[in-house]
């Protein structure tokens, strides 16, 4: 073998290389694709962090205000380095890198091949990267879910000492509480927890671990609900707020269409979701886990592959068939970030399967067929991911040689990078940085009285551009408020149009600049940055 191939064989088979490469790509994506602001959940969590730091935090009957592990660390970063988009999203980024580190340190020695594949499949998955630079709870929950599962992975076999059982049991309970303080969907891990507990109970293994975990968990939850009783007057305040988040309008709209949507959602739609979200790539590998194995091979959870398969099934079932509401049955929406707790199990099953079956020819053919089917089912945007994989693995099958696993890994990594790189190169959507520059340059007058007219989406989130400390001499109104209140007793009326926000199809805003400008008499353009425009609207006084 040529020297260069020997070098590649050694270098590209190192888990450390893939850990550093994927971490570097994550950091590149974080800074190069950062949108600044999403005008959605991130506003709420950032506001809570600001309130916590400067006073004024209170429960506002919305479920987000109970997710302390999202905004408390963010408040700490605000205190250290001030409030900006990078300190706002630093916590999700650290949790993303922390998840990669946990997986790398746990599996690098015993399963080096699987570790390489896990780091690539999870670390380069677009929607995991996408939620690394928004203040959302999903990557934070991913970190704590991974930590909880890895504790159980260590405890799947009899622990060496009673002290180890006690310490791990207490740590497991603490990690689950931290996950619960991040997002309620950690409860979807409970079926797997119970399965492993019964497995150990039948074999009388690690009973101290489970006793300590249960005892510590009961004490922690008792203290948690007691604090709610003291500070809010209702120990179950969080549960009531979760229920209240499902508004009457949302509930009725769902119930009116449930008969037509429920059956597809519980049967074939999740499969189509896996294809469209890109999860079909690790799922294809995971689907070959039973190839050449007998049923009894999966009865012992001491086997890493059996453990993670059980974790995958135990968590997938409640997410697939469970309810996302407490007062009526409504399955969880098929949104990629809702499936983040499943990513470690998905990718570990895939990696452990590759480690066992590579480089057998039959799996290569089956993978090519599976991705060929995905290419047929996928939308045109996703065909570019599945078709190259189908062709590549078919080529490996036809050209019968003992191909090294890193060759397939390079192909998968290249395909997974397509979407992140596309969005890095794609123009911004929110035009946050342009708008922030315009606000700092033109909308910070120290004296006088001013009105800024804007769309409804920006109106509810505009305080973020001022660090939630909006000048008292400014009023912010919708376009429709002109010429009533806006045209009297003010020094200037500004018209702010962020075409990036208006044209963002996810926000479903029908208003466009051509509809807005005719409402105002002779607006004068003051500044334009990208798709953000600021006009001065004539008033009787000027």
């Amino acid at each position: 073998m040529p020297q260069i191939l020997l070098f590649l064989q050694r270098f590209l088979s190192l888990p450390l290389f893939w850990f550093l490469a994927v971490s570097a790509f994550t950091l590149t994506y974080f800074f190069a694709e950062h949108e600044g602001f999403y005008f959605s959940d991130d506003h709420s969590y950032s506001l809570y962090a600001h309130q916590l730091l400067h006073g004024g935090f209170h429960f506002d009957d919305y479920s987000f205000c109970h997710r302390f592990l999202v905004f408390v660390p963010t408040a700490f970063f605000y205190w250290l380095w001030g409030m900006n988009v990078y300190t706002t999203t630093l916590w999700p980024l650290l949790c993303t890198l922390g998840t990669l580190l946990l997986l790398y340190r746990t599996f690098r020695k015993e399963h080096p091949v699987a570790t390489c594949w896990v780091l690539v499949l999870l670390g380069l998955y677009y929607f995991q990267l996408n939620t690394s630079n928004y203040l959302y709870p999903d990557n934070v929950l991913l970190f704590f879910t991974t930590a909880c599962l890895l504790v159980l992975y260590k405890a799947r076999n009899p622990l060496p000492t009673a002290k180890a059982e006690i310490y791990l049991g207490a740590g497991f309970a603490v990690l689950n509480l931290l996950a619960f303080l991040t997002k309620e969907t950690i409860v979807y891990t409970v079926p797997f927890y119970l399965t492993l507990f019964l497995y150990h109970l039948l074999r009388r293994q690690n009973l101290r671990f489970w006793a300590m975990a249960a005892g510590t968990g009961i004490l922690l939850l008792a203290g948690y609900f007691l604090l709610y009783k003291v500070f809010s007057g209702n120990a179950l305040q969080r549960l009531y707020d979760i229920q209240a988040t499902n508004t009457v309008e949302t509930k009725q709209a769902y119930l009116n269409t449930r008969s037509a949507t429920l059956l597809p959602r519980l049967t074939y739609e999740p499969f189509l979701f896996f294809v469209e979200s890109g999860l079909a790539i690790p799922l294809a590998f995971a689907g070959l886990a039973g190839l050449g194995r007998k049923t009894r091979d999966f009865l012992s959870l001491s086997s890493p592959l059996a453990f993670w398969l059980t974790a995958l099934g135990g968590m997938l079932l409640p997410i697939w068939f469970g309810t996302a509401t407490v007062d009526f049955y409504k399955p969880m929406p098929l949104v990629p970030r809702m499936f983040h707790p499943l990513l470690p199990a998905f990718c570990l099953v895939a990696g452990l399967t590759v480690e066992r079956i590579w480089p057998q020819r039959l799996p290569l053919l089956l993978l090519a067929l599976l991705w060929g089917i995905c290419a047929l089912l996928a939308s045109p945007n996703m065909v570019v991911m599945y078709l190259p994989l189908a062709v590549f693995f078919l080529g490996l099958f036809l050209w019968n040689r003992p191909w090294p696993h890193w060759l397939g890994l390079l192909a998968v990594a290249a395909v997974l990078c397509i979407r992140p790189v596309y969005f890095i190169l794609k123009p911004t959507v929110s035009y946050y940085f342009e708008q922030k520059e315009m606000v700092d340059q033109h909308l910070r007058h120290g004296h006088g009285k001013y009105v800024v007219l804007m769309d409804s989406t920006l109106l509810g989130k505009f305080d973020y551009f001022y660090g939630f400390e909006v000048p008292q001499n400014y009023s912010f109104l919708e376009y429709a408020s002109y010429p009533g209140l806006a045209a009297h007793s003010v020094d200037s009326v500004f018209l702010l149009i962020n075409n990036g926000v208006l044209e963002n199809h996810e926000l479903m805003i029908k208003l466009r600049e051509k509809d807005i400008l005719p409402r105002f008499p002779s607006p004068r353009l003051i500044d334009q940055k990208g798709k953000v425009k600021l006009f001065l609207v004539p008033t009787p006084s000027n």
Side-chain angles (χ1 to χ4, degrees):
M1 182 180 291
Q3 194 67 27
I4 185 65
L5 290 181
L6 287 173
F7 174 77
L8 287 174
Q9 172 77 19
R10 182 177 180 182
F11 199 63
L12 295 176
S13 298
L14 286 175
L16 179 60
F17 166 77
W18 290 106
F19 171 70
L20 294 176
V22 172
S23 297
F25 188 85
T26 300
L27 289 170
T28 301
Y29 179 89
F30 178 82
F31 289 104
E33 206 280 328
H34 207 302
E35 283 285 348
F37 206 57
Y38 199 60
F39 305 107
S40 186
D41 302 5
D42 47 0
H43 177 269
S44 298
Y45 296 121
S46 180
L47 176 60
Y48 296 142
H50 180 271
Q51 290 174 344
L52 198 66
L53 190 60
H54 298 283
F57 174 79
H58 61 281
F59 295 125
D60 58 6
D61 301 327
Y62 197 49
S63 61
F64 289 3
C65 68
H66 303 283
R67 297 173 176 176
F68 295 103
L69 255 291
V70 180
F71 58 85
V72 171
T74 303
F76 175 70
F77 296 133
Y78 285 173
W79 177 72
L80 283 178
W81 299 301
M83 181 180 171
N84 56 65
V85 293
Y86 297 109
T87 53
T88 297
T89 52
L90 179 58
W91 179 229
L93 173 66
L94 292 177
C95 288
T96 302
L97 297 174
T99 301
L100 297 174
L101 181 61
L102 285 176
L103 294 169
Y104 166 72
R105 289 186 61 85
T106 302
F107 297 99
R108 72 187 190 280
K109 292 182 179 179
E110 293 184 1
H111 301 281
V113 172
T115 303
C116 297
W117 283 84
V118 169
L119 292 171
V120 167
L121 291 171
L122 189 146
L124 300 182
Y125 175 54
Y126 168 70
F127 289 104
Q128 185 270 152
L129 286 167
N130 176 254
T131 44
S132 69
N133 57 7
Y134 290 119
L135 186 55
Y136 276 42
D138 305 284
N139 281 33
V140 182
L141 181 64
L142 172 63
F143 173 78
F144 286 112
T145 303
T146 302
C148 291
L149 293 174
L150 290 179
V151 169
L152 290 183
Y153 179 74
K154 185 176 181 63
R156 76 192 191 282
N157 294 319
L159 293 168
T161 64
K163 183 182 292 187
E165 290 188 64
I166 291 171
Y167 286 160
L168 274 180
F172 179 66
V174 171
L175 286 171
N176 274 280
L177 178 66
L178 295 178
F180 185 61
L181 292 177
T182 302
K183 195 174 182 181
E184 306 78 27
T185 49
I186 187 63
V187 299
Y188 289 113
T189 60
V190 171
F192 172 62
Y193 293 173
L194 293 176
T195 300
L196 189 60
F197 167 68
L198 292 174
Y199 176 83
H200 281 159
L201 186 63
L202 291 174
R203 286 160 178 76
R204 302 187 65 81
Q205 295 176 0
N206 294 335
L207 297 185
R208 291 188 190 89
F209 167 85
W210 290 106
M212 189 64 187
T216 305
I218 290 171
L219 289 176
L220 290 174
L221 285 177
Y224 174 76
F225 288 119
L226 179 61
L227 287 174
Y228 266 86
K229 181 66 176 178
V230 171
F231 288 102
S232 74
N234 186 346
L236 302 179
Q237 183 66 43
R238 183 177 185 181
L239 303 182
Y240 286 121
D241 287 348
I242 293 172
Q243 180 180 9
T245 300
N246 303 303
T247 63
V248 175
E249 292 81 7
T250 302
K251 176 179 178 179
Q252 195 56 50
Y254 167 73
L255 293 177
N256 289 342
T257 60
R258 183 167 62 173
S259 60
T261 60
L262 193 57
L263 183 60
R265 166 60 182 82
L266 297 178
T267 52
Y268 64 86
E269 279 189 354
F271 291 108
L272 299 179
F273 161 77
F274 292 144
V275 172
E276 287 301 314
S277 65
L279 277 175
I281 293 178
L283 185 61
F285 289 110
L288 304 183
L291 201 65
R293 301 291 292 267
K294 297 180 180 180
T295 304
R296 65 172 179 268
D297 295 334
F298 298 103
L299 296 179
S300 173
L301 297 186
S302 296
S303 162
L305 184 57
F307 176 91
W308 290 108
L309 266 175
T310 306
L312 177 58
M315 296 168 65
L316 181 59
L317 284 175
I319 292 178
W320 194 314
F321 298 104
T323 178
T325 58
V326 294
D327 57 341
F328 62 98
Y329 180 70
K330 179 183 179 183
M332 179 182 288
L334 295 176
V335 178
R337 60 189 179 89
M338 299 298 183
F339 284 73
H340 275 23
L342 278 172
L343 290 180
F346 255 126
C347 298
L348 278 162
V349 170
L352 291 167
T353 300
V354 172
E355 186 175 68
R356 187 179 61 83
I357 66 176
W358 197 279
Q360 301 172 31
R361 293 190 70 206
L362 179 59
L364 298 177
L365 177 61
L366 292 176
L367 288 169
L369 291 174
L370 287 172
W371 285 321
I373 294 171
C374 289
L376 292 174
L377 295 175
S379 62
N381 291 338
M382 292 299 295
V383 171
V384 71
M385 294 185 66
Y386 295 117
L387 190 57
L389 285 178
V391 172
F392 181 83
F393 277 78
L394 181 61
L396 293 184
F397 168 77
L398 294 175
W399 195 355
N400 187 16
R401 289 188 59 188
W403 299 107
H405 81 93
W406 53 262
L407 193 63
L409 187 57
L410 279 176
V412 171
V415 164
L416 287 174
C417 285
I418 291 175
R419 291 182 85 177
V421 170
Y422 167 77
F423 282 99
I424 287 174
L425 300 176
K426 184 176 179 290
T428 178
V429 174
S430 68
Y431 285 85
Y432 167 83
F433 295 102
E434 290 82 355
Q435 182 164 318
K436 182 70 167 69
E437 184 180 353
M438 192 172 291
V439 169
D440 291 340
Q441 186 175 347
H442 298 289
L443 301 178
R444 286 187 178 272
H445 297 85
H447 303 283
K449 189 175 181 181
Y450 304 90
V451 169
V452 182
L453 300 168
M454 60 185 63
D455 64 82
S456 58
T457 298
L458 284 176
L459 185 63
K461 312 292 190 298
F462 203 78
D463 50 359
Y464 182 85
F465 291 86
Y466 290 96
F468 299 108
E469 296 178 3
V470 181
Q472 295 297 313
N473 58 333
Y474 273 81
S475 298
F476 301 90
L477 303 169
E478 287 192 61
Y479 301 127
S481 299
Y482 184 87
L485 178 64
H488 302 285
S489 304
V490 295
D491 294 299
S492 298
V493 176
F494 295 100
L495 174 63
L496 180 66
I497 301 178
N498 187 329
N499 286 296
V501 172
L502 296 180
E503 296 166 7
N504 185 350
H505 68 277
E506 292 184 5
L507 299 176
M508 296 183 291
I509 303 174
K510 296 181 179 179
L511 205 59
R512 294 292 181 268
E513 181 181 337
K514 62 182 178 62
D515 306 314
I516 299 169
L517 288 179
R519 302 181 182 187
F520 303 92
S522 305
R524 178 168 62 88
L525 181 65
I526 299 176
D527 197 0
Q528 177 175 357
K529 300 181 188 301
K531 289 191 175 184
V532 184
K533 296 181 180 180
L534 184 66
F535 298 85
L536 180 66
V537 179
T539 64
S541 60
N542 59 13

